[in-house]
Amino acid sequence: MTETLPRPQLTDRLSALLGPKGITTDAQDLAPWLTDWRGRYHGAAMAMVAPANAQELAEIVRLASETGTPIVPQGGNSGMVGGATPDSGGGALLLSTRRMNAIREIDPAARTVVAEAGVVLQTLHEAVAAQGLRFPLTLGGKGSATVGGLVSTNAGGTQVLRHGTMRALVEGVEAVLPDGSIYHGLATLKKDNRGYDIRHLLVGAEGTLGIVTAATLKLVPALIDRAVVWAGVHSPLAARELLLMLEARAGREMEGFEIVPQRCLANVLHHIPGTRAPLASAHRWHVLIEFARDNAAAPPPQELAEALMAEAFERDLVQDAAISSSESQAEAFWKLRDSISEAERAEGPAMQHDISVPVADMARFIIEAGAEVERRFPGTEVAAFGHMGDGNVHFHVAAPKGSDRATWPEHPGKEISGFVHDLVVAAGGSISAEHGIGQMKRDELGRLSDAARLMALRAIKQAFDPKGIMNPGKLVPL
């Protein structure tokens, strides 16, 4: 039975469990964590609890289950869809995993690492690099994103082309389930036929089925060297032809392939200090390509890049190209790509869509869907950028000049997003490729999903969390 406790009594019990480092009810301390990274969602919470380990977290969840108290888990609070922001009711516990930040084990022979949920991605990168290894997932927010959040959102990033999303890199999971029990699944078993795969249910569940406390992650050898290319191309169709050529000729040595329109590059050069154009003249479209080597038997990336770009010029697939001559130049090229969202925020309001369609259809989708949106909503400007190599681009629609930053996202922003999502579904794609559903896309998921998908989502949620305390209002449509 659910035991209703007055709020002071509940927080007193949590204080006794966690000590002064593990709980805060001070409004000023809570404030930064009650708004999402984009500033679109604002909530309230009775307290923020920060367990030091899985056992403490399990006790918190057990108490929440007994009292019917909602829990909203939060890692680095760097999500893009409001998945870690509580509602405005103030009755939820905000559960921070940031104190659970131990790297429990690095196994160089097995090429695995066991990292707790609060480990920051950049810290993980540095720790495994010291062992001559690499965790092959990175993204712009690596300085704040945490392992638990990356697992729970099935994060993507710029290396999916070669290594896959987070789901492909998670070999085991430890998690606290909604009744307070701990799921011990960190072992790296190549074969395990004990029924439903709990690990894969938890990956991408956004904290609605349980709270990830640690994960066993796959590692790869550290890079020997790399070469990054910035090239100007005629169109997304030319970029697609270039991608096909490079996939055939470079194979696993091509680690990333990103498309960037001139508008995005211009915003970065205007708003981000210390950036400079990589090519002498402007081009309507650009691609960023990374060739990397972690095997001494493979060709040096610089030589590979030079040979392949020469071939691309001969086939009129690129108009101009610059190949990094140093690691600092390679980082400068990537900074241009990683700064697009920051520059866009400075430029003005826009509706952001994290979408995917089949890789073979992406170039045509960018062209045709972009034209349809701009025709339907005069004055808007579409900028589609990102991971073209794996069929995922960030399809952003910028507001007409002079639009009100506060009101435009609501009207006509929501209508624009609905129109974009309709185009994506008609193309056989997904309205969320790597950012998750959160609260931002929950209603759209309900509107655009077939009955079978909705039945499965709701049934799984009800089976795991019958009291509905785990991250309510997120992911699963009503």
Side-chain angles (χ1 to χ4, degrees):
M1 291 183 63
T2 300
E3 173 194 3
T4 303
L5 288 179
R7 183 178 298 186
Q9 190 174 341
L10 178 59
T11 55
D12 284 348
R13 288 180 63 176
L14 289 166
S15 295
L17 170 67
L18 300 170
K21 289 185 178 181
I23 183 170
T24 180
T25 57
D26 181 82
Q28 204 166 17
D29 291 339
L30 283 172
W33 309 107
L34 297 175
T35 299
D36 73 302
W37 178 77
R38 281 179 164 166
R40 288 188 176 178
Y41 298 96
H42 309 276
M46 71 168 74
M48 180 166 69
V49 290
N53 51 56
Q55 289 70 34
E56 285 187 359
L57 199 157
E59 290 298 325
I60 294 169
V61 174
R62 196 170 296 121
L63 180 57
S65 178
E66 291 172 2
T67 58
T69 305
I71 296 178
V72 178
Q74 188 179 95
N77 197 27
S78 56
M80 308 293 276
V81 290
T85 306
D87 65 21
S88 59
L93 287 173
L94 191 61
L95 192 146
S96 169
T97 61
R98 287 180 288 277
R99 288 182 68 207
M100 300 171 56
N101 58 5
I103 295 176
R104 297 183 188 174
E105 178 188 19
I106 300 175
D107 187 336
R111 291 183 183 168
T112 59
V113 57
V114 179
E116 291 185 345
V119 174
V120 173
L121 180 58
Q122 186 167 336
T123 302
L124 177 64
H125 284 166
E126 293 167 357
V128 301
Q131 301 290 324
L133 296 165
R134 179 169 64 117
F135 178 60
L137 183 143
T138 192
L139 33 77
K142 62 186 178 183
S144 56
T146 60
V147 166
L150 295 168
V151 173
S152 296
T153 58
N154 186 29
T158 56
Q159 296 169 317
V160 170
L161 181 63
R162 181 175 179 183
H163 299 286
T165 63
M166 196 71 179
R167 189 180 299 279
L169 300 171
V170 176
E171 300 207 331
V173 165
E174 175 189 271
V176 175
L177 301 184
D179 65 348
S181 61
I182 301 178
Y183 171 70
H184 299 281
L186 290 173
T188 56
L189 302 176
K190 294 296 183 185
K191 291 184 175 182
D192 183 3
N193 260 347
R194 291 177 287 180
Y196 307 120
D197 193 327
I198 309 303
R199 168 186 51 163
H200 282 304
L201 285 173
L202 291 166
V203 176
E206 301 186 34
T208 62
L209 303 181
I211 302 173
V212 172
T213 54
T216 303
L217 304 173
K218 184 185 299 184
L219 303 176
V220 298
L223 291 182
I224 298 171
D225 48 9
R226 66 172 177 163
V228 178
V229 178
W230 189 285
V233 298
H234 298 286
S235 69
L237 293 172
R240 166 69 177 158
E241 290 301 311
L242 177 62
L243 173 64
L244 290 173
M245 186 202 93
L246 296 178
E247 285 180 329
R249 302 275 277 105
R252 283 183 53 80
E253 270 54 65
M254 182 170 64
E255 184 140 313
F257 189 99
E258 306 278 308
I259 189 167
V260 178
Q262 175 62 28
R263 179 183 183 278
C264 290
L265 176 60
N267 283 345
V268 170
L269 297 176
H270 180 67
H271 292 289
I272 307 301
T275 57
R276 56 180 294 181
L279 303 177
S281 59
H283 300 268
R284 288 188 64 193
W285 293 90
H286 307 257
V287 291
L288 176 64
I289 311 157
E290 178 161 313
F291 301 99
R293 177 172 64 155
D294 58 18
N295 181 346
Q302 190 79 16
E303 294 179 12
L304 183 64
E306 290 171 359
L308 291 176
M309 286 303 103
E311 182 178 342
F313 273 112
E314 290 177 7
R315 295 170 58 172
D316 196 31
L317 296 178
V318 300
Q319 298 169 289
D320 194 7
I323 302 172
S324 62
S325 58
S326 65
E327 184 60 21
S328 62
Q329 190 176 28
E331 284 295 313
F333 287 173
W334 272 112
K335 182 178 180 179
L336 296 173
R337 162 63 183 89
D338 291 340
S339 300
I340 290 175
S341 291
E342 180 184 351
E344 181 184 75
R345 284 198 305 278
E347 182 70 12
M351 299 305 293
Q352 298 91 2
H353 309 97
D354 160 46
I355 58 98
S356 65
V357 299
V359 178
D361 301 331
M362 178 52 80
R364 197 165 300 280
F365 181 87
I366 290 172
I367 296 168
E368 295 177 356
E372 285 192 53
V373 170
E374 291 176 354
R375 185 165 50 247
R376 174 75 174 268
F377 302 95
T380 61
E381 190 172 356
V382 171
F385 66 93
H387 325 304
M388 190 175 184
D390 58 45
N392 164 211
V393 295
H394 303 292
F395 191 95
H396 291 192
V397 183
K401 298 298 182 185
S403 297
D404 185 87
R405 188 181 289 268
T407 61
W408 189 83
E410 187 68 25
H411 179 76
K414 284 190 175 180
E415 183 184 355
I416 292 172
S417 289
F419 185 70
V420 171
H421 291 157
D422 288 343
L423 295 174
V424 170
V425 172
S430 168
I431 66 170
S432 180
E434 64 177 359
H435 291 166
I437 297 296
Q439 56 185 297
M440 179 185 291
K441 297 185 180 181
R442 186 191 64 168
D443 292 344
E444 282 290 84
L445 183 65
R447 181 176 74 86
L448 295 168
S449 295
D450 58 44
R453 180 183 295 273
L454 292 175
M455 181 280 295
L457 287 172
R458 290 165 179 159
I460 293 168
K461 170 67 172 174
Q462 177 63 25
F464 270 73
D465 184 22
K467 295 183 179 179
I469 64 169
M470 283 291 176
N471 212 7
K474 317 295 170 42
L475 177 59
V476 183
L478 296 174

